[in-house]
Amino acid sequence: MKKLIAKLVNNNAGYAPLIMRVPVGLTLMAHGSQKLFGMFGGYGLEGTGQWMASIGLTPGYLMALLAGSGEFFGGLFLLLGLLLRPAAAVVAFTMLVALFTVHIHNGLFMANNGYEYALTLAAIAISLVISGAGKVSLDNIIARKV
């Protein structure tokens, strides 16, 4: 178990992941809060679930719970740099699902509900899976203790 934890948290990245983790983590948490809690003008689990069901993502409530949790908790773990690789993988998967189920048919630009935002977040998350959390992270503290 110790080897698995060490493998998950070890990285040689410097400070660059911190620059990506903080704003992306906060942004993801805000988006997840819309889905989970109805904050920031969101519709909460019920409303988001109904919308997801209406576009074919069923059961809608479960899909809203999964998407909202992936965004909120994935964003929190990115922000903290805690178990970053698995968290970033969840975020990347969540963004790719959003990209291919909701945004792809609208073209690139966000002004038309396009996929540029989801693509950017997926690319950042995949980059973080590869690099790890960096020097300023809980993963780095854990790695020193393991």
Side-chain angles (χ1 to χ4, degrees), residues 1-6:
M1 184 63 151
K2 213 173 189 181
K3 282 186 179 184
L4 175 63
I5 293 171

Side-chain angles (χ1 to χ4, degrees), residues 92-134:
F93 180 78
T94 304
M95 291 303 105
L96 290 172
V97 169
L99 191 156
F100 288 111
T101 60
V102 178
H103 302 289
I104 195 74
H105 303 295
N106 300 320
L108 175 65
F109 297 106
M110 280 181 59
N112 299 320
N113 198 28
Y115 60 86
E116 70 178 316
Y117 175 72
L119 178 64
T120 300
L121 292 179
I124 290 169
I126 292 166
S127 172
L128 289 170
V129 168
I130 294 166
S131 72

Side-chain angles (χ1 to χ4, degrees), residues 40-78:
F40 308 113
Y43 299 105
L45 284 172
E46 286 295 327
T48 304
Q50 288 173 4
W51 174 77
M52 287 188 161
S54 78
I55 64 166
L57 292 172
T58 58
Y61 187 89
L62 177 62
M63 294 298 115
L65 180 63
L66 290 171
S69 295
E71 289 178 355
F72 182 81
F73 294 106
L76 177 62
F77 279 43
L78 261 64

